[in-house]
Amino acid sequence: MRVLVFLLAISLRIGAQVSDSLLANILLVKNDTERVNRLYSRGFSLRHSNPQLAYRYARLCQEAAESRHSDLHLAKSYNLLGVLYYKKGDYKTAQSYHLRALKLRTECRDELGIAFSNTNLGNIYADLHLYDKAEAAYLKAIEIHKKWNNTDKLIGCLINLGALKHLLKKYDAAQENYLLAFNLSDDSDYDTRAMCLTNLGEASLGIQQLDKALAYNEDALKLRKLSDNKVETSDNYLNIGSVYLAMGQAPQAKFFIDTAWTIACRNDYFELRHEAEKVYASYYNGMKDYEKAYTWLKKYYDTNDSLLLAQNTENNLYNFNEQEENVEIRSVSKSFADWWQITAIAAIFVLLPFYLIRFKR
């Protein structure tokens, strides 16, 4: 029994080390370039699921790039650190890292890297309300992606630029960028096309092009149903309800608003419910039911704090501890020691049946 308990304890210890096993293997890669690239790729893949481990990879990537004096790879490590700090909500630090990455990529004439850095900086500038800088960054990225026929990234930049124009209530410019992105997207890419159509519908509503707004949202709704994207159909239902309100067709509006609300509640889509509360207030105000209009408007403002709390909670999910002790790069001998430990345990499992047979009564 003691042997079994001992083996169980050891197996649990090994299980706890699994998350680092890939790191150990990467650090044993002899080719410097491949090792740095794998550190970056692994860290980038972990940015959502395990920010702390991603941060560890980013620092190791930075250390390895510095040791081999590779500005190109050092820029990649700065890019990953910038992405992680952006997810964390620390925009100033994220900006600093992306600017450092951009400087190195410019010196290395890494055009695609320059485009990626400008896209990241555009996102940060937009969040910091530096809208002119955001637009300039997006336009630079768009120029490079066009040159390299990098369609997917180009679409993303066009949507970002459209969203920026939308935020500034420059609806015609927003529509132009959304339409360009839509036309570049593949016919089978339902999600991207639905997003573009939804944004086009909202921009059309902003300048009271109600027929266009209705048509765009109806088309987006069809695509989202085709892709079985039930949650985001609520965005289109709510938008259609808002268009009918603007048309003065309250009964039709109520049906679509109610549908959006039901889907949002069923799927815990908090942001959509928040927007629906404001639309309900407009609906009841138009119906001259001022008591209900006030109730829904109060709900809308009351949940503003909850929305901010939810956003802060989301940022905390991407939090990581910068003061974590630097991970020492395992030596080859240490890695072999780990393998020896595993081999020894395997041997115990092989020999254990003979031990039990010998002492069987």
Side-chain angles (χ1 to χ4, degrees), residues 29-76:
V29 173
K30 292 182 179 180
N31 184 283
D32 292 339
T33 300
E34 183 184 352
R35 185 169 65 254
V36 175
N37 285 333
R38 288 177 64 179
L39 284 168
Y40 174 81
S41 297
R42 177 62 176 162
F44 194 79
S45 70
L46 290 166
R47 69 193 186 281
H48 297 305
S49 60
N50 193 336
Q52 187 66 58
L53 190 53
Y55 179 74
R56 179 182 299 176
Y57 273 95
R59 286 301 185 196
L60 286 169
C61 181
Q62 178 185 357
E63 181 181 338
E66 287 173 342
S67 68
R68 69 186 301 272
H69 307 291
S70 172
D71 287 346
L72 193 63
H73 292 92
L74 185 57
K76 294 182 77 169

Coordinates of all heavy atoms in Angstrom, one line a residue, residues 29-76:
V29 N 15.9 23.3 -28.1 CA 16.1 23.4 -29.5 C 17.4 24.1 -29.7 O 17.7 25.2 -29.2 CB 14.9 24.2 -30.1 CG1 15.3 24.5 -31.6 CG2 13.6 23.5 -30.0
K30 N 18.3 23.5 -30.5 CA 19.6 24.0 -30.7 C 19.7 25.2 -31.6 O 20.4 26.2 -31.4 CB 20.5 22.9 -31.3 CG 20.8 21.8 -30.3 CD 21.7 20.7 -30.9 CE 22.0 19.6 -29.9 NZ 22.9 18.6 -30.4
N31 N 18.8 25.3 -32.7 CA 18.8 26.4 -33.6 C 18.2 27.6 -32.9 O 17.0 27.6 -32.5 CB 18.0 26.0 -34.8 CG 18.0 27.1 -35.9 OD1 17.4 28.1 -35.8 ND2 18.9 26.9 -36.9
D32 N 19.0 28.7 -32.8 CA 18.5 29.9 -32.1 C 17.3 30.5 -32.7 O 16.3 30.9 -32.0 CB 19.6 30.9 -32.1 CG 20.8 30.5 -31.3 OD1 20.7 29.7 -30.4 OD2 21.9 31.1 -31.5
T33 N 17.3 30.6 -34.0 CA 16.1 31.2 -34.7 C 14.8 30.4 -34.5 O 13.8 31.0 -34.1 CB 16.4 31.3 -36.2 OG1 17.5 32.1 -36.4 CG2 15.2 31.9 -36.9
E34 N 14.9 29.1 -34.6 CA 13.8 28.2 -34.4 C 13.3 28.3 -32.9 O 12.1 28.4 -32.7 CB 14.1 26.8 -34.7 CG 12.9 25.9 -34.6 CD 13.2 24.4 -34.9 OE1 14.3 24.1 -35.3 OE2 12.3 23.6 -34.7
R35 N 14.2 28.3 -32.0 CA 13.9 28.4 -30.6 C 13.1 29.7 -30.3 O 12.1 29.7 -29.6 CB 15.1 28.3 -29.7 CG 14.8 28.2 -28.2 CD 16.0 27.9 -27.4 NE 17.0 28.9 -27.4 CZ 18.2 28.8 -28.1 NH1 18.4 27.7 -28.8 NH2 19.0 29.8 -28.1
V36 N 13.6 30.8 -30.8 CA 12.9 32.1 -30.5 C 11.5 32.1 -31.2 O 10.6 32.6 -30.6 CB 13.8 33.3 -31.0 CG1 13.0 34.6 -30.9 CG2 15.1 33.4 -30.3
N37 N 11.5 31.6 -32.4 CA 10.2 31.6 -33.1 C 9.1 30.7 -32.4 O 8.0 31.1 -32.2 CB 10.3 31.1 -34.5 CG 11.0 32.1 -35.4 OD1 10.8 33.3 -35.2 ND2 11.7 31.7 -36.5
R38 N 9.6 29.6 -31.8 CA 8.7 28.7 -31.1 C 8.3 29.3 -29.8 O 7.1 29.1 -29.3 CB 9.3 27.3 -30.9 CG 9.4 26.5 -32.3 CD 10.1 25.2 -32.1 NE 9.4 24.3 -31.2 CZ 9.8 23.1 -30.9 NH1 10.9 22.6 -31.5 NH2 9.1 22.3 -30.1
L39 N 9.2 30.0 -29.1 CA 8.8 30.7 -27.9 C 7.7 31.7 -28.1 O 6.8 31.8 -27.4 CB 10.1 31.4 -27.2 CG 11.1 30.5 -26.5 CD1 12.3 31.2 -26.2 CD2 10.5 29.9 -25.2
Y40 N 7.9 32.5 -29.2 CA 6.9 33.5 -29.6 C 5.6 32.9 -29.9 O 4.5 33.3 -29.4 CB 7.4 34.4 -30.7 CG 6.4 35.3 -31.2 CD1 6.2 36.5 -30.6 CD2 5.6 35.0 -32.3 CE1 5.2 37.4 -31.0 CE2 4.6 35.9 -32.8 CZ 4.4 37.1 -32.1 OH 3.5 38.0 -32.6
S41 N 5.6 31.9 -30.8 CA 4.4 31.2 -31.2 C 3.6 30.6 -30.1 O 2.4 30.8 -30.0 CB 4.7 30.2 -32.3 OG 5.3 30.7 -33.4
R42 N 4.3 30.0 -29.2 CA 3.7 29.3 -28.1 C 3.1 30.4 -27.1 O 2.0 30.3 -26.7 CB 4.6 28.4 -27.3 CG 4.1 27.8 -26.1 CD 2.9 26.9 -26.4 NE 2.5 26.2 -25.2 CZ 1.3 25.6 -25.1 NH1 0.5 25.6 -26.1 NH2 1.0 24.9 -23.9
G43 N 3.8 31.4 -26.9 CA 3.3 32.5 -26.0 C 2.1 33.2 -26.6 O 1.2 33.5 -25.9
F44 N 2.2 33.4 -27.9 CA 1.0 34.1 -28.6 C -0.2 33.2 -28.5 O -1.3 33.7 -28.3 CB 1.4 34.4 -30.0 CG 0.4 35.3 -30.7 CD1 0.6 36.7 -30.5 CD2 -0.6 34.9 -31.5 CE1 -0.3 37.6 -31.1 CE2 -1.4 35.8 -32.2 CZ -1.3 37.1 -31.9
S45 N 0.0 31.9 -28.6 CA -1.2 31.0 -28.6 C -1.8 30.9 -27.2 O -3.0 30.6 -27.0 CB -0.8 29.6 -29.0 OG 0.0 29.0 -28.0
L46 N -1.1 31.3 -26.2 CA -1.5 31.2 -24.8 C -2.1 32.6 -24.3 O -2.5 32.7 -23.1 CB -0.4 30.8 -23.8 CG 0.1 29.4 -24.0 CD1 1.4 29.2 -23.2 CD2 -0.9 28.4 -23.4
R47 N -2.1 33.6 -25.1 CA -2.4 35.0 -24.7 C -3.8 35.1 -24.1 O -4.1 35.9 -23.2 CB -2.3 36.0 -25.8 CG -3.3 35.8 -26.9 CD -2.8 36.7 -28.1 NE -3.8 36.7 -29.2 CZ -4.0 35.7 -30.0 NH1 -3.3 34.6 -30.0 NH2 -5.0 35.8 -31.0
H48 N -4.8 34.2 -24.5 CA -6.1 34.2 -24.0 C -6.3 33.2 -22.8 O -6.9 33.5 -21.8 CB -7.1 33.9 -25.1 CG -7.2 34.9 -26.2 ND1 -7.4 36.3 -26.0 CD2 -7.0 34.8 -27.5 CE1 -7.4 36.9 -27.1 NE2 -7.2 36.0 -28.1
S49 N -5.8 32.0 -23.0 CA -6.1 31.0 -22.1 C -5.2 31.0 -20.8 O -5.6 30.6 -19.8 CB -5.9 29.6 -22.8 OG -4.5 29.5 -23.3
N50 N -4.0 31.5 -21.0 CA -3.1 31.5 -19.8 C -2.1 32.7 -19.9 O -0.9 32.5 -20.3 CB -2.3 30.2 -19.7 CG -1.6 30.0 -18.4 OD1 -1.3 31.0 -17.7 ND2 -1.3 28.8 -18.0
P51 N -2.6 33.9 -19.6 CA -1.7 35.1 -19.8 C -0.4 35.0 -19.0 O 0.6 35.6 -19.4 CB -2.7 36.2 -19.2 CG -4.0 35.7 -19.4 CD -3.9 34.2 -19.1
Q52 N -0.5 34.4 -17.8 CA 0.7 34.4 -17.0 C 1.8 33.6 -17.7 O 3.0 34.0 -17.7 CB 0.4 33.7 -15.6 CG 1.6 33.8 -14.6 CD 1.9 35.2 -14.2 OE1 1.1 35.9 -13.7 NE2 3.2 35.6 -14.4
L53 N 1.4 32.4 -18.2 CA 2.4 31.6 -18.9 C 2.8 32.2 -20.2 O 4.0 32.2 -20.6 CB 1.8 30.2 -19.2 CG 2.8 29.1 -19.7 CD1 4.0 29.0 -18.8 CD2 2.0 27.8 -19.9
A54 N 1.9 32.9 -20.9 CA 2.2 33.7 -22.1 C 3.3 34.7 -21.8 O 4.2 35.0 -22.6 CB 1.0 34.3 -22.7
Y55 N 3.1 35.4 -20.6 CA 4.1 36.4 -20.2 C 5.5 35.8 -20.0 O 6.5 36.4 -20.4 CB 3.6 37.1 -18.9 CG 4.5 38.2 -18.4 CD1 4.6 39.4 -19.0 CD2 5.2 38.0 -17.2 CE1 5.4 40.4 -18.5 CE2 6.1 38.9 -16.7 CZ 6.2 40.2 -17.4 OH 7.0 41.1 -16.9
R56 N 5.5 34.6 -19.4 CA 6.7 33.9 -19.2 C 7.4 33.6 -20.5 O 8.6 33.9 -20.7 CB 6.5 32.6 -18.4 CG 7.7 31.8 -18.2 CD 7.4 30.5 -17.5 NE 6.8 30.7 -16.2 CZ 6.3 29.8 -15.4 NH1 6.3 28.5 -15.8 NH2 5.8 30.1 -14.2
Y57 N 6.6 33.2 -21.5 CA 7.2 32.9 -22.8 C 7.7 34.2 -23.5 O 8.7 34.2 -24.1 CB 6.2 32.2 -23.7 CG 6.1 30.7 -23.6 CD1 5.2 30.1 -22.7 CD2 6.9 29.9 -24.3 CE1 5.1 28.7 -22.6 CE2 6.9 28.5 -24.2 CZ 6.0 27.9 -23.4 OH 5.9 26.6 -23.3
A58 N 7.0 35.3 -23.3 CA 7.4 36.5 -23.9 C 8.7 37.0 -23.4 O 9.6 37.5 -24.1 CB 6.3 37.6 -23.7
R59 N 8.9 36.9 -22.1 CA 10.2 37.3 -21.5 C 11.3 36.4 -21.9 O 12.4 36.8 -22.1 CB 10.0 37.3 -19.9 CG 9.2 38.4 -19.4 CD 9.8 39.7 -19.7 NE 9.1 40.8 -19.1 CZ 9.2 42.1 -19.5 NH1 10.0 42.4 -20.5 NH2 8.5 43.0 -18.8
L60 N 11.1 35.1 -22.0 CA 12.1 34.2 -22.5 C 12.4 34.4 -23.9 O 13.6 34.3 -24.3 CB 11.6 32.7 -22.3 CG 11.6 32.2 -20.8 CD1 10.9 30.9 -20.8 CD2 13.1 32.0 -20.3
C61 N 11.4 34.8 -24.7 CA 11.6 35.1 -26.1 C 12.5 36.4 -26.2 O 13.4 36.5 -27.0 CB 10.3 35.3 -26.8 SG 10.4 35.8 -28.5
Q62 N 12.2 37.4 -25.4 CA 13.0 38.6 -25.3 C 14.4 38.3 -24.9 O 15.4 38.8 -25.6 CB 12.4 39.6 -24.3 CG 13.1 40.9 -24.2 CD 12.6 41.8 -23.1 OE1 11.6 41.4 -22.4 NE2 13.2 42.9 -22.9
E63 N 14.6 37.5 -23.9 CA 16.0 37.1 -23.5 C 16.8 36.4 -24.6 O 17.9 36.7 -24.8 CB 15.9 36.3 -22.2 CG 17.2 35.8 -21.6 CD 17.0 34.9 -20.4 OE1 15.9 35.0 -19.8 OE2 18.0 34.2 -20.1
A64 N 16.1 35.5 -25.2 CA 16.8 34.7 -26.3 C 17.1 35.6 -27.4 O 18.2 35.5 -28.0 CB 15.9 33.6 -26.7
A65 N 16.2 36.5 -27.8 CA 16.5 37.4 -28.9 C 17.6 38.4 -28.6 O 18.4 38.7 -29.5 CB 15.2 38.2 -29.3
E66 N 17.6 38.9 -27.4 CA 18.7 39.8 -27.0 C 20.1 39.1 -27.0 O 21.1 39.6 -27.4 CB 18.4 40.3 -25.6 CG 17.3 41.4 -25.6 CD 16.9 41.8 -24.2 OE1 17.2 41.1 -23.2 OE2 16.3 42.8 -24.0
S67 N 20.1 37.8 -26.6 CA 21.3 37.0 -26.5 C 21.9 36.8 -27.9 O 23.1 36.7 -28.0 CB 21.1 35.7 -25.7 OG 20.3 34.8 -26.5
R68 N 21.1 36.7 -28.9 CA 21.6 36.4 -30.2 C 21.6 37.7 -31.1 O 21.8 37.7 -32.3 CB 20.8 35.3 -30.9 CG 19.3 35.7 -31.3 CD 18.6 34.5 -31.9 NE 19.2 34.0 -33.0 CZ 19.0 34.4 -34.3 NH1 18.1 35.4 -34.5 NH2 19.6 33.8 -35.3
H69 N 21.3 38.9 -30.4 CA 21.4 40.2 -31.1 C 20.5 40.2 -32.3 O 21.0 40.8 -33.4 CB 22.8 40.5 -31.4 CG 23.7 40.4 -30.2 ND1 23.7 41.3 -29.1 CD2 24.7 39.5 -29.9 CE1 24.6 41.0 -28.2 NE2 25.2 39.9 -28.6
S70 N 19.3 39.7 -32.2 CA 18.4 39.7 -33.4 C 17.3 40.7 -33.2 O 16.4 40.5 -32.4 CB 17.8 38.3 -33.6 OG 16.8 38.4 -34.6
D71 N 17.4 41.9 -33.8 CA 16.4 42.9 -33.7 C 15.0 42.5 -34.2 O 14.0 42.8 -33.7 CB 16.8 44.2 -34.5 CG 17.9 44.9 -33.8 OD1 18.2 44.6 -32.6 OD2 18.6 45.8 -34.4
L72 N 15.0 41.6 -35.3 CA 13.8 41.2 -35.8 C 13.0 40.3 -34.8 O 11.8 40.5 -34.7 CB 14.1 40.3 -37.1 CG 12.9 40.0 -38.0 CD1 12.3 41.2 -38.6 CD2 13.4 39.0 -39.1
H73 N 13.7 39.4 -34.1 CA 13.1 38.6 -33.1 C 12.8 39.3 -31.8 O 11.8 39.1 -31.1 CB 13.9 37.4 -32.8 CG 14.0 36.4 -34.0 ND1 15.0 36.5 -35.0 CD2 13.1 35.4 -34.4 CE1 14.8 35.6 -35.9 NE2 13.6 34.9 -35.6
L74 N 13.6 40.3 -31.5 CA 13.4 41.2 -30.3 C 12.1 41.9 -30.5 O 11.3 42.1 -29.6 CB 14.5 42.1 -30.1 CG 14.5 43.0 -28.8 CD1 14.3 42.1 -27.6 CD2 15.7 43.9 -28.8
A75 N 11.8 42.4 -31.8 CA 10.6 43.1 -32.1 C 9.4 42.2 -31.9 O 8.3 42.6 -31.4 CB 10.6 43.6 -33.5
K76 N 9.5 40.9 -32.2 CA 8.4 39.9 -32.0 C 8.1 39.8 -30.5 O 7.0 39.7 -30.1 CB 8.8 38.6 -32.6 CG 8.9 38.6 -34.1 CD 9.2 37.2 -34.7 CE 8.0 36.3 -34.7 NZ 8.1 35.1 -35.5

